[in-house]
Amino acid sequence: MWSAYCGQEKRSACRAGSSAGHPSKPWEHATFIYPFLTRGRPFPLQLLFFGTLFCIYNGFLQGYYLIYCAEYPNDWCTDIRFTSGLLLFLLGMGINIHSDLLLRQLRKPGEVTYKIPQGGLFTYVSGANYFGEIVEWFGFAIATWSLPAFAFAFFTLCCIGPRAYHHHRYYLKTFTDYPKSRKVLIPFVF
């Protein structure tokens, strides 16, 4: 992302950034890598297919906007929106990948029983992976300062926020030893 906006002209900066594929890295991880690393029940091919379609469509919309519509000043890489957004994006991506790793390690190969996630942000929230993804995409939206990115971040929150809530309720109902102090999605808040 950094090289996408530094020292280049307004529109060519966007072309360089989108062609580098930086926004697609988390999508690639979620769509192509994570499903093949999970243990337990097989990952449905239909979900993989629709996830791939969604990633292609959303990536096209984000890339199209950045290449053909967005204009950034030459000093955008020093703007507080870009630097704070980039830091949030990287933080969220790290949380998301680490949380997915912890979830994958819950089960031994072939095991299908549910277990309580432990460690990382799972110490504080039931949906640590969802929290990471939301932070990631709000960071991307701030860094690009674009309506399509903010719309995607908002809809990410609207789609996976309720999933975190339902997972939290399920854990509380299923496991009598589930930590009562653990929040749903946002550490110490909700």
Side-chain angles (χ1 to χ4, degrees), residues 46-60:
Q46 184 180 12
L47 285 180
L48 179 64
F49 175 73
F50 285 118
T52 302
L53 282 180
F54 172 79
C55 289
I56 290 169
Y57 181 69
N58 189 41
F60 170 77

Side-chain angles (χ1 to χ4, degrees), residues 24 39 65 71 89 129 174:
S24 68
R39 297 176 179 165
Y65 180 84
E71 292 190 19
F89 178 84
N129 52 334
T174 305

Side-chain angles (χ1 to χ4, degrees), residues 111-124:
E111 194 175 41
V112 293
T113 57
Y114 282 94
K115 295 182 180 179
I116 300 173
Q118 303 288 340
L121 277 182
F122 284 113
T123 305
Y124 307 104

Side-chain angles (χ1 to χ4, degrees), residues 80-91:
I80 189 70
R81 294 170 290 182
F82 176 77
T83 54
S84 62
L86 176 62
L87 290 175
L88 272 176
F89 178 84
L90 294 173
L91 175 67

Side-chain angles (χ1 to χ4, degrees), residues 18 23 27 53-70 140 144 146-149 151-152 155:
S18 60
W27 295 325
L53 282 180
F54 172 79
C55 289
I56 290 169
Y57 181 69
N58 189 41
F60 170 77
L61 291 178
Q62 300 296 333
Y64 184 88
Y65 180 84
L66 290 174
I67 293 170
Y68 298 109
C69 304
F140 178 72
T144 61
S146 72
L147 182 60
F152 177 66
F155 286 112

Side-chain angles (χ1 to χ4, degrees), residues 16-190:
S18 60
S19 65
H22 64 275
S24 68
K25 294 303 176 198
W27 295 325
E28 291 169 6
H29 179 264
T31 305
F32 300 112
I33 298 171
Y34 182 75
F36 294 107
L37 295 176
T38 57
R39 297 176 179 165
R41 294 185 180 103
F43 193 84
L45 284 178
Q46 184 180 12
L47 285 180
L48 179 64
F49 175 73
F50 285 118
T52 302
L53 282 180
F54 172 79
C55 289
I56 290 169
Y57 181 69
N58 189 41
F60 170 77
L61 291 178
Q62 300 296 333
Y64 184 88
Y65 180 84
L66 290 174
I67 293 170
Y68 298 109
C69 304
E71 292 190 19
Y72 298 96
N74 289 334
D75 63 346
W76 182 249
C77 64
T78 59
D79 189 286
I80 189 70
R81 294 170 290 182
F82 176 77
T83 54
S84 62
L86 176 62
L87 290 175
L88 272 176
F89 178 84
L90 294 173
L91 175 67
M93 188 170 157
I95 291 169
N96 192 9
I97 291 172
H98 181 255
S99 299
D100 283 347
L101 174 69
L102 293 175
L103 288 173
R104 283 194 313 271
Q105 292 175 344
L106 281 176
R107 297 178 180 155
K108 293 178 176 67
E111 194 175 41
V112 293
T113 57
Y114 282 94
K115 295 182 180 179
I116 300 173
Q118 303 288 340
L121 277 182
F122 284 113
T123 305
Y124 307 104
V125 294
S126 297
N129 52 334
Y130 299 137
F131 175 72
E133 191 164 344
I134 290 167
V135 168
E136 184 176 0
W137 295 120
F138 272 98
F140 178 72
I142 292 168
T144 61
W145 208 248
S146 72
L147 182 60
F150 276 107
F152 177 66
F154 175 73
F155 286 112
T156 298
L157 174 65
C158 292
C159 289
I160 64 178
R163 286 178 65 188
Y165 175 74
H166 290 288
H167 282 210
H168 183 74
R169 277 191 9 202
Y170 173 81
Y171 287 141
L172 286 172
K173 190 170 43 170
T174 305
F175 301 105
T176 56
D177 58 339
Y178 195 76
K180 303 294 183 218
S181 62
R182 198 178 280 188
K183 300 295 183 185
V184 175
L185 186 63
I186 303 169
F188 311 108
V189 179
F190 170 73

